[in-house]
Amino acid sequence: MKRHTLRGLTGLALAALLLIGLIGCQGGGQTGAVVSEDPMEIARARGLSPADVVAAVKTYQPTGTYDEYIMFASGGHSGQVLVIGIPSMRLLKVIGVFTPEPWQGWGFSKETREVLAQGNYDGKELTWGDVHHPALSETNGDYDGQFLFVNEKANARVAVIDLRDFETKQIVKNPLSLSDHGGTFVTPNTEWVIEGGQYAAPFEGYASLDQYKEKYRGLVTFWKFDRERGRIIPEQSFALELPPYWQDLCDAGKQVSEGWVFCNSFNTEMATGGVEKGNPPFEAGASQRDMDYLHVINLRKAVELVEAGRTRTIKGFKVLPLDVAAAEGVLYFIPEPKSPHGVDVSPDGNYLVVSGKLDPHATIYNFQKIQDAIANERFSGRDDYGVPILDFDAVVETQIELGLGPLHTQFDPNGYAYTSLFLESAVVRWTLGGPWTEKHGRDPWTVVDKVSVHYNIGHLAVAEGDNVNPDGRYLVAMNKWSVDRFANVGPLLPQNFQLIDIGNPNGSMQLLYDMPIALGEPHYAQIIKADKLQPWEVYPEVGWDPTTQSRHPAATRPGEERIERRGNTVEIWMTATRSHFTPEHVEVRKGDRVIWHITNIERARDATHGFALPGYNFNLSIEPGETATIEFVADRDGVFAFYCTEFCSALHLEMAGYFLVRP
């Protein structure tokens, strides 16, 4: 039976065929060539089970067809963002963000170098990043496909990516912090991009660890986003000073909880480590208490106070002081199970799910109960910094025992929640209560299914699973280890994204696909419907500057190519088209400053040209319509052949020229 016939079968007929044809097959896979075109014979020869074949059919994407969903995943230590199709799990693109990426010319042209330099630390160039949490822009709490934000933990940076061309446009460096695990998350209309903190430190200068309680501070930063400009506006942004607990992941309220922000924390013990001095190690000192603090932040009230001038300015950045936040109803704490990793707001905005890695339960808080407790001052006390602590029993909805090492939760439209279990290497499905009970028709707050993953899952992502209108359908487990899943490639192994089918609300979850990730430790992802994205096929006009999304001042059209000398500066205006650079010869003197503009005058989709200048460390990717610039000093004499690095035509190898530097 041919593939097109299989595709025409109903799901029931295909399942019956597979079960009849493959009965008795054993898993494990066999080697050797398979020459048959009968799918049943191929399956038997490869030792595939019926479940294997069903998984293959569910994920196979015939040539020329597009994936239904796009996943934006953090690239971990690569400093980049991964773009992955679902259900095929094909890697479609790596977006250059915090690290130079030569194939795309990211960090090599003048324009992209300037964007990367925005993230430098006190003038020091940073050439790597630890990317953690991408966040899609939202309108009314729903992904709108316009922008993507992502944080970089190691140096407390946030980037803005324009999804019209999937390129980074801005990087902001937090002046108050060097680490920021808890970003990025957006408010429901993307007015604010939330950057949580991580390791407490003094905002300015040096302080010894003996002064930890007095001099060290945590923070959460609210970056103001201008959607029309597509830029964060630092001068309208501010940070909220927090106690020196280690703040972690945040989430913005939505619907009934819009205007509030929730961040969890650990190390409320304020441990400072120092095993070399006989002190308890951090992992022990920071895990002594049974509870840490969920931070409940009234963002609207904070903005009012900032606009009223109740801030201090530290390193040129506005800070709302901790004592003001505590006294004016901006900040509250709620006890939460120790060592939590994520607070996740349900689609209706009323339930907050927190899981502590050292507690097998998920704790669910009720936002309406939180509001009542605040209004009635149901406090169990205040912390050492004067922040009110809401009574746990007054605000908790319930606790559910999920399994070992619960971490992160997302949701589907049918009233189910999905939580990763790090220690158990599993994903658990459980029911929400309240009005969600009508959706699933089961007992509320109950575990209903569990599927094993490979191995040590961190975050997970459900299709549109953390906005107001989740899709469900698919879930991706982001596993820290792969152990035995792939061919041995040495001691450093890839990590493993696993695709899981969650589309049947009354059935079991099914593991479908393994995808090795071999360029860093990914952390988090968001999955959007592909049809919400409207990227350009080519740039709007010839001579486009992607960093400003406008016409480049050095845009060059055919016939305008030229070389001009002004003293010791030589400026070149070049065009590129299949299979030709104009001009082909560029001659300068050693020591000259060279400014070289190259415009791709193609208007055909996918007609990208590269530009490599060996010996001077340049490689550009110039998409149809784009103008890019390189600047350098011709500090070595000789003859350097430049060439196109994208195989663009039959005469690609002839698309070259000579850069001649006279002594």
Side-chain angles (χ1 to χ4, degrees):
M1 186 173 288
K2 304 294 186 183
R3 178 174 61 81
H4 68 270
T5 307
L6 272 176
R7 290 182 66 201
L9 292 175
T10 66
L12 184 61
L14 178 59
L17 174 63
L18 293 170
L19 288 171
I20 293 170
L22 297 178
I23 191 74
C25 284
Q26 300 297 316
Q30 298 181 14
T31 59
V34 180
V35 296
S36 172
E37 293 193 16
D38 184 322
M40 297 303 101
E41 290 185 16
I42 295 170
R44 289 192 193 97
R46 297 195 61 209
L48 302 179
S49 70
D52 293 333
V53 179
V54 169
V57 173
K58 285 183 176 181
T59 56
Y60 176 65
Q61 204 69 33
T63 182
T65 63
Y66 298 161
D67 284 293
E68 186 177 358
Y69 295 93
I70 299 295
M71 179 167 71
F72 294 94
S74 60
H77 316 102
S78 72
Q80 321 297 34
V81 168
L82 314 180
V83 184
I84 298 167
I86 291 176
S88 72
M89 298 301 286
R90 297 180 294 202
L91 179 62
L92 305 177
K93 188 167 187 173
V94 176
I95 302 175
V97 187
F98 296 107
T99 306
E101 204 292 295
W103 177 57
Q104 299 167 65
W106 176 250
F108 292 86
S109 69
K110 175 180 181 292
E111 296 84 1
T112 59
R113 278 183 170 175
E114 289 175 351
V115 175
L116 270 175
Q118 294 170 0
N120 289 350
Y121 173 59
D122 284 349
K124 181 177 180 60
E125 183 182 14
L126 303 175
T127 58
W128 80 284
D130 186 9
V131 177
H132 272 245
H133 299 101
L136 288 154
S137 59
E138 298 179 6
T139 299
N140 297 323
D142 205 353
Y143 300 155
D144 56 36
Q146 295 181 10
F147 295 94
L148 183 76
F149 309 92
V150 69
N151 74 303
E152 193 273 294
K153 174 178 174 175
N155 301 286
R157 296 180 288 175
V158 171
V160 180
I161 299 167
D162 191 327
L163 294 179
R164 287 176 293 182
D165 60 359
F166 285 53
E167 292 193 6
T168 303
K169 307 304 176 187
Q170 182 186 25
I171 297 174
V172 292
K173 170 73 185 79
N174 195 315
L176 304 177
S177 177
L178 278 177
S179 58
D180 70 344
H181 186 231
T184 52
F185 298 86
V186 301
T187 52
N189 283 293
T190 321
E191 309 98 329
W192 300 95
V193 180
I194 305 163
E195 179 193 13
Q198 186 81 107
Y199 308 118
F203 287 162
E204 295 182 283
Y206 169 83
S208 72
L209 288 167
D210 294 337
Q211 301 173 293
Y212 187 89
K213 186 175 178 179
E214 297 77 24
K215 299 290 187 180
Y216 286 61
R217 288 294 180 264
L219 79 165
V220 58
T221 304
F222 298 96
W223 295 101
K224 183 66 175 177
F225 183 65
D226 185 328
R227 189 186 290 266
E228 185 174 343
R229 290 169 54 190
R231 297 292 187 273
I232 284 170
I233 310 174
E235 58 269 23
Q236 295 182 23
S237 306
F238 69 97
L240 174 60
E241 181 185 13
L242 297 172
Y245 316 139
W246 291 358
Q247 286 76 33
D248 200 50
L249 300 187
C250 301
D251 202 1
K254 61 193 76 165
Q255 303 211 82
V256 299
S257 55
E258 184 172 352
W260 292 75
V261 171
F262 312 96
C263 302
N264 57 28
S265 68
F266 60 108
N267 195 23
T268 52
E269 297 87 349
M270 294 187 282
T272 58
V275 291
E276 68 282 0
K277 299 176 181 177
N279 298 329
F282 267 119
E283 67 271 22
S287 304
Q288 297 177 50
R289 299 177 56 183
D290 288 334
M291 293 286 191
D292 287 300
Y293 289 138
L294 174 64
H295 295 36
V296 178
I297 299 166
N298 186 338
L299 178 56
R300 289 195 179 111
K301 181 66 175 178
V303 171
E304 288 177 8
L305 294 171
V306 170
E307 292 176 346
R310 300 289 298 277
T311 60
R312 291 186 292 138
T313 298
I314 303 176
K315 292 186 175 179
F317 201 74
K318 286 181 287 190
V319 178
L320 187 63
L322 174 56
D323 58 350
V324 174
E328 297 291 343
V330 170
L331 179 63
Y332 302 90
F333 290 153
I334 301 175
E336 59 181 352
K338 65 181 176 181
S339 194
H341 190 70
V343 50
D344 302 291
V345 181
S346 63
D348 61 4
N350 192 45
Y351 297 115
L352 319 176
V353 181
V354 173
S355 299
K357 298 189 293 292
L358 303 180
D359 185 316
H361 298 84
T363 300
I364 296 91
Y365 301 92
N366 185 308
F367 178 73
Q368 294 297 343
K369 291 182 178 182
I370 292 172
Q371 294 299 288
D372 292 342
I374 291 172
N376 296 309
E377 297 189 355
R378 294 283 303 276
F379 305 149
S380 59
R382 294 177 181 266
D383 81 334
D384 292 341
Y385 300 90
V387 180
I389 303 170
L390 300 182
D391 180 71
F392 178 82
D393 292 330
V395 299
V396 72
E397 179 74 19
T398 190
Q399 290 184 302
I400 313 170
E401 186 170 340
L402 299 180
L404 300 179
L407 287 180
H408 178 61
T409 298
Q410 291 205 343
F411 308 91
D412 74 9
N414 304 305
Y416 293 104
Y418 301 82
T419 300
S420 54
L421 302 176
F422 177 82
L423 296 177
E424 200 170 323
S425 290
V427 171
V428 58
R429 172 194 267 170
W430 51 277
T431 59
L432 296 171
W436 293 98
T437 306
E438 295 181 9
K439 294 274 190 180
H440 52 68
R442 298 175 182 242
D443 291 338
W445 313 118
T446 303
V447 170
V448 296
D449 193 20
K450 193 176 285 188
V451 61
S452 295
V453 296
H454 309 98
Y455 303 92
N456 288 9
I457 178 175
H459 285 279
L460 50 74
V462 170
E464 308 226 346
D466 56 3
N467 69 18
V468 298
N469 294 309
D471 267 31
R473 299 282 304 279
Y474 298 106
L475 179 152
V476 173
M478 307 177 72
N479 307 322
K480 303 301 184 185
W481 284 13
S482 60
V483 185
D484 54 4
R485 296 298 94 189
F486 310 109
N488 188 354
V489 291
L492 179 61
L493 302 182
Q495 303 200 359
N496 189 11
F497 282 6
Q498 291 189 297
L499 180 68
I500 298 172
D501 183 351
I502 61 170
N504 183 355
N506 299 311
S508 298
M509 298 181 285
Q510 181 189 6
L511 182 62
L512 299 179
Y513 197 88
D514 285 11
M515 178 186 183
I517 301 294
L519 46 63
E521 184 198 1
H523 291 270
Y524 184 66
Q526 288 190 330
I527 303 170
I528 186 174
K529 289 180 178 177
D531 60 12
K532 287 185 176 180
L533 299 166
Q534 301 297 325
W536 292 324
E537 293 184 353
V538 299
Y539 280 112
E541 60 180 284
V542 171
W544 195 257
D545 182 352
T547 59
T548 62
Q549 297 292 38
S550 62
R551 185 170 172 79
H552 197 292
T556 308
R557 295 186 179 275
E560 298 175 350
E561 302 91 348
R562 62 197 184 278
I563 302 173
E564 295 180 359
R565 173 177 287 278
R566 300 184 302 277
N568 289 330
T569 297
V570 177
E571 191 162 5
I572 304 106
W573 289 263
M574 173 181 279
T575 59
T577 188
R578 284 166 287 181
S579 306
H580 190 68
F581 289 115
T582 303
E584 292 181 326
H585 297 165
V586 175
E587 187 166 349
V588 302
R589 293 190 293 262
K590 184 178 180 180
D592 281 343
R593 175 171 172 255
V594 179
I595 306 171
W596 199 327
H597 313 288
I598 309 159
T599 299
N600 181 346
I601 60 175
E602 302 271 6
R603 302 307 290 155
R605 184 180 184 184
D606 207 15
T608 295
H609 293 296
F611 177 82
L613 183 58
Y616 280 91
N617 197 37
F618 287 106
N619 183 45
L620 304 182
S621 173
I622 313 170
E623 284 76 52
E626 179 180 356
T627 295
T629 300
I630 57 175
E631 284 193 25
F632 61 99
V633 173
D635 56 2
R636 66 199 67 187
D637 55 68
V639 176
F640 305 87
F642 58 83
Y643 67 97
C644 176
T645 52
E646 289 284 340
F647 209 106
C648 55
S649 68
L651 296 176
H652 162 73
L653 295 179
E654 288 80 1
M655 188 170 175
Y658 283 110
F659 176 57
L660 302 104
V661 182
R662 287 188 286 129

